Amino acid sequence: MDRERVGSLTPPSGDAAGHPRTQDPPTDPVRRIAVGAVIGLVAAAVAIAAGHLVAGLVDPQAAPILTVGQSAIDATPEWLKSFAIRTFGERDKTVLLAGIGAALLVAAVGLGVASVRRPWIGLAGLAAFGLLGILAALARPVARPAHVLPPVAAVAAGAAALLAMRGAIATSRTSTGAPEAQAPWMLDRRRLLLTGAVGVTVAATAGGVGNLFARRFRADGSRAAVRIPPVVSRAGSVRDAQIDVPGLGPFLTPNERFYRVDTALLVPAVMAEDWRLRLHGSVEREITLDYERLLARPLIERDITLTCVSNPIGGRYVGNARWIGAPLRDLLEEAGPLPGADQIVSRSVDGFTIGTPTAVAMDGRDAMLAVAMNGEPLPLAHGFPVRMIVPGLYGYVSAMKWLVDIELTTFDAYDPYWVQRGWAERAPIKTMSRIDTPSPFLDLRAGEIPIAGVAWAQHVGIDRVEVSVDDDSWAAAELAGEDTVDTWRQWVYRWNATPGDHRLRVRATDRSGETQTADRAEPFPDGATGHHEIVVRVE
């Protein structure tokens, strides 16, 4: 029986002359790859868990995977961002993190395999990833010196795990004089398995403890304790704003179904009791508010439809909710904007920036610092404890979530996040309409079929919606009652359907008399245009 194969736990026997022999080089490269993969994966798991553990002590947003992911978002070309949003929707962040995880998996296996022969390659790879994590952490707008600790801890722990597992491999150059890269090697399986098991246990424990530490940064408990005071001005009735048609959603979008588009890989956790808002810049008086003082201000309740500029024709990045908040105009007037301060730059707790025209925020529309959504404190994913809302503007120039800073400045002096990436500086929402029912390519029965959906032209209002079947003349649809000019409007057209394939189109005309154009344009740089159309089959 040959006891000299790689993986034997017994020492090598002597040769015919009685001299000790090293193990023969392995004839099966798969064995070497398997050993290296185990080493690399365990070291990577320990490194990631250590980074997560230290981030739980410092700031969950400083976890290396998150900081690198945020840097990847910032560096992604605009066309790729738009593709991700169109293709994956609100799952785009999950897809990004999965991609980062897959890349780390491949890198871990590669470095582990290389470490079987050359341990310094694995250590150098870990150091490179650590440096990437440090640079990504320092590049964040809200970076602090402590944010470099998670990647440093990850490198140290990963290196220790790699060396510990690499200790299960011994190489010999005494008999052949071969360089280390070609020297015969032998494996202590028991030591490798034991060290690997310890590494996996350490990684799991560190990850779990990191989650426990991170919970103190979570705002669930803080949100649960919030009680929104009575408002001084209530929203109107929505009784006539809802059309009862199967397949047509509610006039007010439930919180759990409201769209979410932002750059945050991890929802920021801001405690209401710790929240502060600083209003400064080109103002006569700087103002600082805490949450209690904000709730003590006169609050208003309004129904307002929000729309993302990334919304494609017929898309779902639009939602209508009942908001409660403090009027933004009152706060700005207290601060006293100086002449020429034509831009309001708002900042979130993670450093994201939005620029809003000062004149629009102060022209009398119901711009607010919102604290509640559909009768409850803002959900964490929608900006708790405070977000900004300015009706009539796309979200990227109006709807800052996790708001902590407002600076009065000028458009010439500062370009916010998305403007730096080529999106329009000012972005009023374009008139748009959408068919919600029937669904595209659905097989229908001949007879009366309701075609229904929503149309919006925030802060202008919808005056007319029309439907065209098979490019025939436009026919007026029935409109639901209008809540306010800041909300979408439901509509329905009773169609006498005949057998065959049919193309349905819709268009809207706003209160100014402007009918939405049929010219199709992508969302970049200031919002999509074109008619929403679907194809259905009638039996």
Side-chain angles (χ1 to χ4, degrees), residues 4-74:
E4 298 171 358
R5 294 164 48 195
V6 173
S8 174
L9 295 180
T10 59
S13 60
D15 60 16
H19 299 112
R21 296 189 305 184
T22 58
Q23 283 198 272
D24 297 331
T27 58
D28 183 5
V30 174
R31 188 184 299 273
R32 188 185 309 168
I33 292 173
V35 171
V38 170
I39 293 174
L41 291 175
V42 172
V46 171
I48 292 171
H52 182 65
L53 172 61
V54 176
L57 293 168
V58 174
D59 179 355
Q61 298 281 350
I65 286 184
L66 294 180
T67 56
V68 171
Q70 292 288 171
S71 296
I73 290 176
D74 295 345

Side-chain angles (χ1 to χ4, degrees), residues 182-200:
Q182 301 171 353
W185 60 288
M186 56 183 288
L187 173 67
D188 186 337
R189 289 182 184 174
R190 182 176 300 170
R191 180 173 177 179
L192 179 71
L193 294 175
L194 179 60
T195 309
V198 171
V200 170

Side-chain angles (χ1 to χ4, degrees), residues 279 283-287 289 293 297-298 328-337 362:
L279 196 162
V283 294
E284 296 175 358
R285 292 167 295 279
E286 184 172 317
I287 294 176
L289 281 177
R293 289 178 58 198
R297 298 177 68 87
L328 176 59
R329 178 180 179 178
D330 294 350
L331 187 63
L332 293 174
E333 288 178 341
E334 289 179 23
M362 299 187 70

